[in-house]
Amino acid sequence: MADNTSIDIIHSRGYESDPNLESPSDLDKPQESAPLDTESKYEQDVPPDGGYGWVCVACVFWINAHTWGINSSYGVFLSYYLSHDVFPNTSALSYAFTGGLSISCALLVAPVATYLIHVFGTRLTLNLGVFFETLSLIGSSFATQRWHIFLSQGVCFGWGMGFLFVGSVGIIPQWFSRRRSLAMGINAAGSGLGGLMYSLAVGAIIPRLGLPWAFRILGIIACVVNLVCANLLRDRNQAVGSRHQAFALPLLKRPEFLLFLGWGVFSMLGYVALLFSVANFALSVGLTSHQGSVVSALLNLGQGLGRPFVGMFSDRLGRINIATFLTFLCGLFCLVIWTFARSMGVVCFFAVLVGTVAGTYWATVTPVLAEIIGLRDLPSGLSITWLVLVPPCTVSEAIALLLRDNHARDSVYLRVQIFTGFMYIGGSLCLWLVRGWKIADLAQTAAGKSLAGSSPPTGVKEAPEESKIEKAAAGTDPQATGRGAPKMSLWSPIGLLRGMVSLQRV
């Protein structure tokens, strides 16, 4: 009687058609049910596209303002270091290395931060970042030798910025779908606004209160703001089923991901050189130190104003489309406008204009990568991305200073300007190839659907759309790839070229 009841229960639950289920006891195996539960959560999850997500947007905005924004003011510090010989026997190259070191260290700790999020959660990682950043700024105020600055303003600040950035950058995409790029653009605008505020503030504080108090004031403000925002943030890692792998090496086998990394490398070689050189460039054309800090502030103003619009147009016209076009446009501005800027008016015009597109990478990196590898693998992909960006961020400003021609009276920065412009153009070419792959991938997926028919085979549940696209991109879904079409056909020269010139929203 008990056996018949068990069989009836199994039949009523629809398990009689499963050949892999041998007995009722198989229903209680946690090692099999857990993965299915995570998978179903991912498939059924619908981002709220608002609600508490907007609180998270505000928090990440202000975290960016008090991490990347403060770091953007290093151009003002650099100009002061070079003109006042603050630390004797320190070369201009050493000062430039400090600015790049902060960004590279922020990216270098990305795998560690990703691991800590997986083990201890997002909140502890964010608060660890608050601690290191505060320690770095307060410690910089007591620096008396150049190695003090290397460790405090370079390494320690980079660690704090890295833990805060990696801990917060993946949260917003979990809360938004249709408005994802707009939300990310607002977040990225925080660094521009912070750079504007603190470039002007540092330029005003140093002459009045001195260099040490400039660091202490920044440290106190950053500690308070970041501490509040870090503890208001909420992630949706459980609902999304995020996979936090520090080194997801299979991603490196995908050509589209490698080209995405190339976009980042070229963009950072141009971005860091532009960001930290513009204040000192102003001095090279006869402007004052105060005017140099104003130019740096206007560059950050452009970033603050431009990034939300970058996100808004990305949602409407395609994330890869906008990222490719604006990256190319930034390189064009450097070659066409910056090389001819000599007066205060033209320099300010260039600073505001190029600022709107200079940080396109930071405004679009997360949505673009989500389009390429999917939302679940986003944390792992970002972890590799930040690590790959360490070398270009470290050497970019050093390269810019070495390219300066101090013997040329009117064109000290000409080679720097050409270098920056071509780096941005090289990055846009990498992403343009990714665009060709994406359009070919979508076309192949649509062709596979039409061949497979409108309904799945009996007893087989149809996979969600995003899962199909991910499988097609990896070449593991025979239906989505057109009944056995080889995955490398996505990279055939003719198909790739057709996708690159196609007027399609991607």
Side-chain angles (χ1 to χ4, degrees), residues 428-450:
S428 68
L429 291 176
C430 289
L431 203 57
W432 195 18
L433 290 170
V434 175
R435 182 183 186 274
W437 162 83
K438 183 65 177 179
I439 291 176
D441 175 48
L442 293 174
Q444 199 173 71
T445 303
K449 279 186 190 178
S450 62

Side-chain angles (χ1 to χ4, degrees), residues 29 39 83 100 142-143 353 377 402 419-420 424 428 448 457 480 485:
K29 290 183 179 179
E39 187 71 20
S83 59
F142 298 100
L353 186 64
D377 288 321
L402 289 175
F419 168 79
T420 303
Y424 273 108
S428 68

Side-chain angles (χ1 to χ4, degrees), residues 29 37 91 116 140 146 155 188 216 233 269 331 364 373 396 428:
K29 290 183 179 179
D37 183 59
S91 65
L116 290 177
S140 296
R146 61 182 178 182
V155 177
R216 290 165 194 159
L233 275 175
L269 285 171
T364 59
I373 65 173
S396 178
S428 68

Side-chain angles (χ1 to χ4, degrees), residues 329-408:
L329 197 61
C330 183
L332 191 64
F333 287 158
C334 292
L335 295 175
V336 175
I337 302 177
W338 194 15
T339 53
F340 299 101
R342 294 292 182 272
S343 64
M344 179 64 176
V346 178
V347 173
C348 290
F349 170 74
F350 166 75
V352 175
L353 186 64
V354 81
T356 59
V357 292
T360 296
Y361 180 82
W362 298 113
T364 59
V365 55
T366 306
V368 167
L369 186 56
E371 294 287 331
I372 295 173
I373 65 173
L375 196 58
R376 281 195 301 173
D377 288 321
L378 184 61
S380 302
L382 288 174
S383 178
I384 294 177
T385 300
W386 309 142
L387 202 60
V388 169
L389 295 185
V390 169
C393 288
T394 304
V395 303
S396 178
E397 180 58 15
I399 292 174
L401 281 182
L402 289 175
L403 288 175
R404 290 190 310 173
D405 186 1
N406 294 319
H407 301 291

Side-chain angles (χ1 to χ4, degrees), residues 218-241:
L218 290 183
I220 294 170
I221 295 174
C223 178
V224 174
V225 175
N226 287 335
L227 198 62
V228 172
C229 293
N231 289 280
L232 285 176
L233 275 175
R234 295 180 189 171
D235 63 57
R236 301 183 68 247
N237 290 333
Q238 293 294 329
V240 173

